[in-house]
Amino acid sequence: EENSAGPTDEDLGQITEVIESALDEAIYWRLVRRGLATGGYSQSYCWERDASKPLRHARHYLKVTQLQIKFCPDIYTMDIEFICIPEGERRKGIGKRIFKSISWMVDKLGYKRIVLHSMKASEPFWKAMGFIPVSPQNQNYPRRMYYEL
């Protein structure tokens, strides 16, 4: 059976509310791209603090909370393409709250897994969330990891 369900504006709004609540400030989401990917159709969304100013440039790249995820409904998979919690915001439960919101939404959509590429410093966090390395013997980073729903 083919799954064509992507997130609704309500689903995306729920993730936005979680991020806004964690940071106590306005966050905006936008569609970054849509098109064909391996396994079929995909959509990528990005959450940023100011929708009018893209944050992915040298000065701000790792200084603000950002999230970019890709939905691949044809293969029942969501890919966390990019997530950044700045140093000063870490260890406050923000990442955990964001992940719980994302995993709840993709489970509701009927997806089977969440995948990402983890940096070495963030791997303990992702393991604590239940992610498993695709190739445990591979010690190179970024390291592909998955979470089964």
Side-chain angles (χ1 to χ4, degrees), residues 60-106:
H60 300 289
Y61 192 56
L62 299 176
K63 295 181 182 173
V64 293
T65 301
Q66 299 177 74
L67 171 67
Q68 184 166 314
I69 55 179
K70 178 170 68 177
F71 294 87
C72 301
D74 295 339
I75 56 173
Y76 302 94
T77 301
M78 193 221 45
D79 187 352
I80 298 175
E81 294 183 312
F82 183 82
I83 186 167
C84 177
I85 309 293
E87 283 290 331
E89 301 292 328
R90 293 181 189 164
R91 302 193 120 358
K92 296 180 180 178
I94 295 170
K96 184 175 184 177
R97 289 168 61 190
I98 292 170
F99 173 69
K100 293 296 182 190
S101 176
I102 291 169
S103 62
W104 175 84
M105 180 186 57
V106 296

Side-chain angles (χ1 to χ4, degrees), residues 3-104:
N3 177 15
S4 60
T8 65
D9 285 356
E10 182 180 331
D11 295 327
L12 300 170
Q14 288 176 343
I15 292 175
T16 304
E17 287 174 18
V18 168
I19 299 171
E20 285 179 333
S21 172
L23 298 174
D24 196 27
E25 67 178 282
I27 295 290
Y28 305 90
W29 67 266
R30 63 186 169 89
L31 178 66
V32 178
R33 70 181 167 273
R34 78 174 69 184
L36 292 175
T38 304
Y41 180 75
S42 71
Q43 304 172 79
S44 292
Y45 296 89
C46 184
W47 283 259
E48 301 171 327
R49 287 187 169 164
D50 183 342
S52 67
K53 299 176 186 171
L55 298 172
R56 287 188 154 189
H57 53 81
R59 285 186 297 144
H60 300 289
Y61 192 56
L62 299 176
K63 295 181 182 173
V64 293
T65 301
Q66 299 177 74
L67 171 67
Q68 184 166 314
I69 55 179
K70 178 170 68 177
F71 294 87
C72 301
D74 295 339
I75 56 173
Y76 302 94
T77 301
M78 193 221 45
D79 187 352
I80 298 175
E81 294 183 312
F82 183 82
I83 186 167
C84 177
I85 309 293
E87 283 290 331
E89 301 292 328
R90 293 181 189 164
R91 302 193 120 358
K92 296 180 180 178
I94 295 170
K96 184 175 184 177
R97 289 168 61 190
I98 292 170
F99 173 69
K100 293 296 182 190
S101 176
I102 291 169
S103 62
W104 175 84

